[in-house]
Amino acid sequence: MAVIHELDSHMADLIAAGEVVERPSSVCKELVENAIDAGASQITVELENGGITYLRVCDNGCGMAPEDAPIAFRRHATSKIRTREDLSAIGTLGFRGEALAAISAVARVELFTKQTGCMEGVHVSLEGGKMTANEPAGCPDGTTFIIRDLFYNTPARMKFLKKDFTEAGYILSVVEHAAESHPEINFQCIRDGKRVFHAPGNGSLQNAVFSVFGKELSKNLIEMPENTLNGIRVWGYISKPHAPRANRTYQHFFVNGRFIKSKLVQAAMEEAYRNSIITGKFPYGCVCIDLPLGLVDVNVHPAKTEVKFAEEKKVFSAVYAAVKNALAGEENIPEIEAKPRKPLADVLPSTQPEPQEKTEVLARSAIRLTPRVPDEPKRSTDTLQQASAYRSGACAGAPKRASFLPFVDVDARDERALEHVDAPKPVKEPVKEPVRPAQPMPALQPAQQQAKEKETLIDDMPKAHVIGSCFDTYILAEDESGLILIDKHAAHERILFNQLRKQVDIPTQMLLQPVVVDLSGEEYAAMIDGMEQIQSIGFVMEPFGQHSVAVREAPAYIDAGDLPMTVSEMAQKLMDRRTPVPDRLDDLIHTVSCKAAIKGGWKTSMEELQSLCDRVLSDPEVTCCPHGRPVTVRLTKYELDKMFKRVNQ
């Protein structure tokens, strides 16, 4: 028998569909591109369940004739190219004629289309690539595609799809990119009955970019005027150097109206920011490039997001010059907006605001590093609750924190703090306990024995005496053997990381005013998908608006001002799907501990330095920070004597 045989047409279509249709966003991308090529001025995308069970793309373009509608679903059927020479100068977004055939092979598809001026339109229905209906129908001008039950006949592909929110985020990104590349088109995206995106379509790139980037990111954008070099035009909006991002999520590049991913353009943009942006941070913005069609090849990848440039050096120079000129022509100085603050009496229930010195003492006493035992009686008073509100930083009029002392157990400080509070203390009568006969002490269990041995070992360790600090970053301490230098940020970061990793009664604080954080579509989907992991480390947040989240509770170690950056970085860590789930949780904890730790350069009192030093030297697990940097460096007395020639070499 013959070993080689020819596959039937349906099997070939299923295989070919795997290259074009990867997920619902791939379907949306192909249909939106067809709508743009049809000259539409209004495009609406509606989806349910992440676009898996229902996806509708409606436009008011030129539509299709009744005799052309059935042919459009055949393989390699297109109206974009006709001759071999057309491949060298592709000016449309679609051109291969494979998208509709691939989509119809793995889904149930309905098409309603009508040309302008015609009395009636046509309705075409397909299931698994086979046509089930082709009949006249009444419909508005333009084309409407309805895609149902994607991958219903290829269940192997279904298991590779993400959760509904994640898939919806990918579709939203497709619509956002299309809105930026064509600001003259009115775009709408409706998810589960709610409109989550709208671009006005008035031809203004600024309005389109604002719709995509949001208010917070858009206020740090500067216009990049049109710059022409070697026949290549570049324009758009880029970020100010003092407002970088921790990732490249919002670097959007477009060539001849097509969204692309290009390391060449990315390198040119970032090279223009050299020496003017923080190392390890990245600029963001919308960069549009217009060049002759013959100088770019878009037929190199099925997704058509990767392109090849015939003259890469000219493209690099054009992008670099445009970005550099925009940065040079703008006064990139951060502006601080002074907002009036309400008096403390308008925010807190207290009749009289506490003195600043007293509030600082209470604020430090309200912070605890070790979780309180559940059976422990609650010691907080109204005044301590006010101090906790000051610590959150979310209430207006909160004074700037002068010091940070999370290393002394709160039980040892509560009494000192309460001495400053003019609150009556209840007087309890002493209770006389009956005299009981002495009983032999029970034998220690293995766990208790280990804990006792550990405490004994800690007590026997030589104590180090803090003699000062260096550059407000390193602790200088001495003991019997020599000099000890401790990186206070790395030490505090490791302590917080170890404690959060245990996930035992993480102390949280409720914000007086929720902190709203704007995210991209993919970041938002990742946050919703990983909400359970986020809640496990002390955050309470909920969806808020288009693709924003409102943080209502956060770990007590984090200031409210650090929450937007912390949430954004956590979203980036969740987007890295190559990381296993346990490691991804460690990444989230690492982000929180890094933001919550005291920073190098902060003024710290001697008591705080001594407390941190004792904690580091008594904990054998605090040897390096989560980044891997050392926490402690020891310089022995012998090495010092050797440096000063007090001993023989």
Side-chain angles (χ1 to χ4, degrees):
M1 293 180 60
V3 179
I4 300 176
H5 61 277
E6 185 177 0
L7 298 175
D8 58 75
S9 59
H10 179 63
M11 192 65 183
D13 289 341
L14 290 178
I15 296 174
E19 298 180 357
V20 180
V21 182
E22 180 184 2
R23 54 183 359 110
S25 60
S26 305
V27 178
C28 179
K29 176 180 178 295
E30 298 293 342
L31 298 181
V32 168
E33 288 180 349
N34 287 342
I36 295 174
D37 291 338
S41 61
Q42 184 173 355
I43 300 176
T44 301
V45 177
E46 184 178 358
L47 63 142
E48 295 178 1
N49 300 325
I52 301 173
T53 60
Y54 181 83
L55 175 65
R56 182 176 72 94
V57 179
C58 178
D59 68 76
N60 61 348
C62 62
M64 288 184 279
E67 58 271 16
D68 289 338
I71 302 176
F73 291 94
R74 299 178 185 175
R75 289 185 58 79
H76 309 300
T78 179
S79 61
K80 313 297 174 60
I81 58 175
R82 292 184 178 275
T83 63
R84 180 171 50 189
E85 289 72 18
D86 293 339
L87 287 175
S88 60
I90 298 175
T92 56
L93 298 179
F95 56 90
R96 294 196 184 111
E98 295 180 345
L100 295 183
I103 295 171
S104 62
V106 293
R108 297 182 174 94
V109 181
E110 287 189 81
L111 166 65
F112 296 88
T113 182
K114 184 171 83 73
Q115 291 181 319
T116 304
C118 295
M119 295 297 296
E120 62 181 12
V122 61
H123 168 228
V124 178
S125 177
L126 297 95
E127 184 173 343
K130 297 181 179 180
M131 189 172 299
T132 58
N134 182 10
E135 56 189 5
C139 53
D141 294 344
T143 303
T144 299
F145 278 96
I146 300 177
I147 313 298
R148 291 187 174 92
D149 303 328
L150 185 64
F151 300 134
Y152 80 98
N153 55 352
T154 53
R157 298 296 301 272
M158 288 289 294
K159 64 182 180 181
F160 292 100
L161 297 180
K162 306 298 180 182
K163 292 184 179 180
D164 293 350
F165 259 101
T166 305
E167 298 297 341
Y170 291 144
I171 293 178
L172 180 59
S173 297
V174 169
V175 179
E176 290 176 344
H177 296 157
E180 289 178 280
S181 61
H182 294 82
E184 73 280 0
I185 301 178
N186 183 306
F187 283 92
Q188 291 189 78
C189 184
I190 302 172
R191 181 180 62 201
D192 297 327
K194 297 180 180 180
R195 189 174 74 173
V196 296
F197 177 78
H198 176 246
N202 56 2
S204 172
L205 178 60
Q206 181 179 7
N207 292 342
V209 169
F210 182 86
S211 301
V212 174
F213 284 73
K215 179 181 178 181
E216 293 299 324
L217 293 180
S218 297
K219 68 181 182 182
N220 289 318
L221 290 175
I222 57 177
E223 183 179 5
M224 183 169 58
E226 183 176 312
N227 186 84
T228 304
L229 181 64
N230 299 323
I232 301 175
R233 295 191 304 120
V234 182
W235 73 97
Y237 286 86
I238 57 176
S239 62
K240 298 179 180 179
H242 66 80
R245 296 268 298 174
N247 49 74
R248 297 186 176 96
T249 305
Y250 279 99
Q251 290 185 1
H252 297 170
F253 306 127
F254 303 91
V255 172
N256 295 339
R258 182 191 305 274
F259 173 74
I260 67 166
K261 297 178 181 178
S262 172
K263 292 185 177 180
L264 175 73
V265 181
Q266 171 188 305
M269 178 183 182
E270 294 181 1
E271 183 67 22
Y273 279 86
R274 182 186 288 263
N275 299 326
S276 61
I277 198 171
I278 301 175
T279 304
K281 302 293 184 179
F282 306 97
Y284 62 92
C286 171
V287 179
C288 301
I289 306 172
D290 191 3
L291 72 167
L293 299 178
L295 297 181
V296 57
D297 183 9
V298 300
N299 191 23
V300 296
H301 192 272
K304 296 177 286 189
T305 56
E306 298 179 8
V307 298
K308 285 186 177 181
F309 297 103
E311 298 178 350
E312 293 185 347
K313 291 184 178 180
K314 291 184 178 181
V315 175
F316 185 97
S317 300
V319 175
Y320 176 84
V323 176
K324 200 72 174 177
N325 292 339
L327 295 176
E330 183 73 16
E331 186 178 1
N332 300 312
I333 300 177
E335 297 181 359
I336 299 177
E337 182 180 358
K339 297 182 180 180
R341 294 182 174 180
K342 297 180 180 180
L344 184 61
D346 296 341
V347 181
L348 299 178
S350 177
T351 56
Q352 294 182 355
E354 296 290 340
Q356 183 173 354
E357 297 180 357
K358 184 187 301 184
T359 305
E360 293 173 357
V361 175
L362 295 176
R364 293 198 299 269
S365 67
I367 306 166
R368 45 183 302 115
L369 183 63
T370 56
R372 188 183 298 273
V373 181
D375 297 337
E376 186 179 359
K378 185 176 180 181
R379 298 189 179 184
S380 61
T381 62
D382 293 341
T383 310
L384 287 177
Q385 292 176 0
Q386 296 174 14
S388 180
Y390 271 93
R391 172 66 179 88
S392 68
C395 61
K400 184 180 174 81
R401 179 183 56 194
S403 59
F404 187 76
L405 184 58
F407 307 104
V408 181
D409 191 88
V410 70
D411 296 335
R413 291 184 312 216
D414 281 352
E415 299 299 333
R416 296 199 301 269
L418 290 174
E419 292 178 359
H420 299 274
V421 182
D422 299 332
K425 298 182 180 179
V427 179
K428 296 183 179 180
E429 294 294 335
V431 179
K432 296 182 179 180
E433 297 183 358
V435 179
R436 297 179 181 177
Q439 298 179 358
M441 183 175 295
L444 293 176
Q445 298 296 329
Q448 297 176 348
Q449 182 69 26
Q450 294 178 3
K452 185 175 181 180
E453 292 177 357
K454 185 176 180 181
E455 293 178 359
T456 305
L457 179 63
I458 293 175
D459 293 337
D460 294 340
M461 290 182 61
K463 300 297 183 181
H465 172 64
V466 175
I467 58 178
S469 64
C470 180
F471 307 115
D472 289 324
T473 302
Y474 306 102
I475 302 173
L476 302 180
E478 63 175 351
D479 60 5
E480 297 177 356
S481 60
L483 186 66
I484 304 172
L485 289 87
I486 300 175
D487 186 337
K488 62 182 183 182
H489 170 74
H492 191 199
E493 182 180 0
R494 186 68 194 194
I495 291 172
L496 293 179
F497 179 82
N498 291 344
Q499 185 182 10
L500 290 173
R501 208 173 181 187
K502 296 176 182 178
Q503 298 184 6
V504 179
D505 289 343
I506 297 176
T508 62
Q509 59 184 0
M510 181 178 293
L511 305 180
L512 296 181
Q513 182 177 357
V515 176
V516 180
V517 183
D518 295 328
L519 303 169
S520 66
E522 296 180 1
E523 290 176 339
Y524 177 78
M527 290 292 288
I528 299 300
D529 193 11
M531 189 61 68
E532 182 177 352
Q533 297 176 357
I534 295 174
Q535 292 177 350
S536 67
I537 58 175
F539 285 90
V540 175
M541 60 180 67
E542 59 186 18
F544 188 86
Q546 181 176 331
H547 40 258
S548 304
V549 293
V551 183
R552 301 193 177 276
E553 291 186 25
Y557 318 120
I558 301 181
D559 288 335
D562 294 333
L563 283 176
M565 183 62 69
T566 303
V567 173
S568 178
E569 291 188 12
M570 287 195 301
Q572 284 299 312
K573 298 290 179 65
L574 290 171
M575 286 177 61
D576 187 6
R577 306 187 192 283
R578 295 171 297 180
T579 306
V581 174
D583 294 339
R584 202 180 306 163
L585 183 59
D586 280 353
D587 288 342
L588 298 180
I589 297 175
H590 180 195
T591 301
V592 174
S593 59
C594 184
K595 294 299 180 183
I598 56 177
K599 306 299 186 294
W602 281 12
K603 297 291 183 181
T604 314
S605 67
M606 292 294 292
E607 291 79 5
E608 294 170 326
L609 295 177
Q610 184 66 57
S611 176
L612 176 56
C613 177
D614 295 341
R615 182 66 178 270
V616 171
L617 298 181
S618 63
D619 192 346
E621 295 182 359
V622 183
T623 57
C624 63
C625 75
H627 295 93
R629 296 195 302 266
V631 170
T632 306
V633 174
R634 182 179 291 274
L635 191 61
T636 65
K637 184 178 182 300
Y638 176 78
E639 291 173 338
L640 287 172
D641 291 340
K642 222 164 92 171
M643 290 179 184
F644 288 97
K645 310 299 181 183
R646 286 179 169 269
V647 295
N648 295 329
Q649 299 295 327

XYZ file of all heavy atoms in Angstrom, residues 33 75 142 144 151 240 306 369 383 487 492 520 585 591 600 638:
130
model
N -8.990 44.282 10.071
C -8.166 44.718 8.941
C -8.974 44.731 7.640
O -8.821 45.642 6.816
C -6.949 43.802 8.805
C -5.909 44.004 9.905
C -4.717 43.087 9.737
O -4.788 42.161 8.892
O -3.707 43.284 10.450
N -10.256 29.471 -0.275
C -8.847 29.724 -0.021
C -8.220 30.499 -1.178
O -8.512 30.240 -2.347
C -8.098 28.403 0.197
C -8.447 27.741 1.525
C -7.591 26.506 1.749
N -6.163 26.796 1.731
C -5.509 27.337 2.765
N -6.152 27.656 3.868
N -4.219 27.561 2.679
N -22.601 48.004 4.471
C -21.389 47.534 5.120
C -21.419 46.032 5.320
O -22.170 45.299 4.665
N -21.116 42.743 8.315
C -21.158 42.276 9.698
C -20.803 40.793 9.728
O -21.450 39.981 9.052
C -22.553 42.483 10.315
O -22.874 43.878 10.326
C -22.580 41.951 11.746
N -13.291 27.037 17.443
C -12.597 25.770 17.714
C -13.553 24.686 18.242
O -13.139 23.800 18.983
C -11.453 25.963 18.711
C -10.392 26.918 18.243
C -9.890 27.901 19.092
C -9.885 26.841 16.959
C -8.912 28.778 18.663
C -8.903 27.718 16.517
C -8.419 28.689 17.372
N 8.030 61.500 28.239
C 9.093 62.347 28.769
C 10.126 61.471 29.474
O 9.779 60.444 30.066
C 8.510 63.368 29.738
C 7.519 64.332 29.096
C 6.959 65.309 30.112
C 5.963 66.264 29.455
N 5.373 67.211 30.441
N 5.499 41.038 11.893
C 6.937 41.154 11.680
C 7.185 41.558 10.232
O 6.611 40.978 9.310
C 7.636 39.824 11.984
C 7.488 39.382 13.430
C 8.182 38.055 13.689
O 8.902 37.588 12.772
O 8.011 37.504 14.782
N 5.763 44.407 62.222
C 6.386 43.534 61.234
C 5.967 42.093 61.417
O 5.771 41.352 60.485
C 7.915 43.649 61.337
C 8.719 42.854 60.312
C 8.428 43.362 58.921
C 10.196 42.926 60.610
N -6.863 56.753 68.814
C -5.680 57.499 68.412
C -4.752 56.642 67.567
O -4.174 57.110 66.588
C -4.925 57.999 69.655
O -5.841 58.637 70.526
C -3.818 58.960 69.261
N 23.746 46.664 54.228
C 22.903 47.416 53.295
C 21.478 47.403 53.856
O 20.801 46.373 53.836
C 22.947 46.776 51.914
C 22.215 47.594 50.859
O 21.334 48.395 51.227
O 22.524 47.423 49.672
N 16.231 45.002 54.823
C 14.788 45.146 55.073
C 13.972 44.443 53.996
O 12.943 43.815 54.272
C 14.425 46.627 55.130
C 13.049 46.874 55.631
N 12.371 48.045 55.414
C 12.193 46.084 56.338
C 11.166 47.970 55.968
N 11.044 46.791 56.533
N -2.812 48.448 30.822
C -3.120 48.112 29.438
C -4.100 46.936 29.412
O -4.383 46.313 30.442
C -1.832 47.746 28.688
O -1.285 46.554 29.213
N 4.398 33.606 42.064
C 3.993 34.166 43.348
C 5.195 34.775 44.064
O 5.080 35.834 44.683
C 3.355 33.075 44.213
C 2.818 33.517 45.575
C 1.756 34.592 45.409
C 2.250 32.327 46.329
N 8.230 41.920 44.386
C 7.858 43.284 44.010
C 7.329 44.063 45.207
O 7.696 45.218 45.428
C 6.793 43.253 42.904
O 7.319 42.561 41.771
C 6.393 44.655 42.495
N 17.713 53.318 50.264
C 19.008 53.911 50.508
C 18.928 55.423 50.364
O 18.331 55.937 49.423
N 41.836 41.914 61.916
C 43.120 41.575 61.321
C 43.288 42.271 59.969
O 44.372 42.770 59.642
C 43.233 40.064 61.159
C 44.503 39.615 60.465
C 45.719 39.572 61.150
C 44.485 39.245 59.121
C 46.897 39.173 60.507
C 45.642 38.851 58.476
C 46.847 38.815 59.171
O 47.999 38.437 58.535
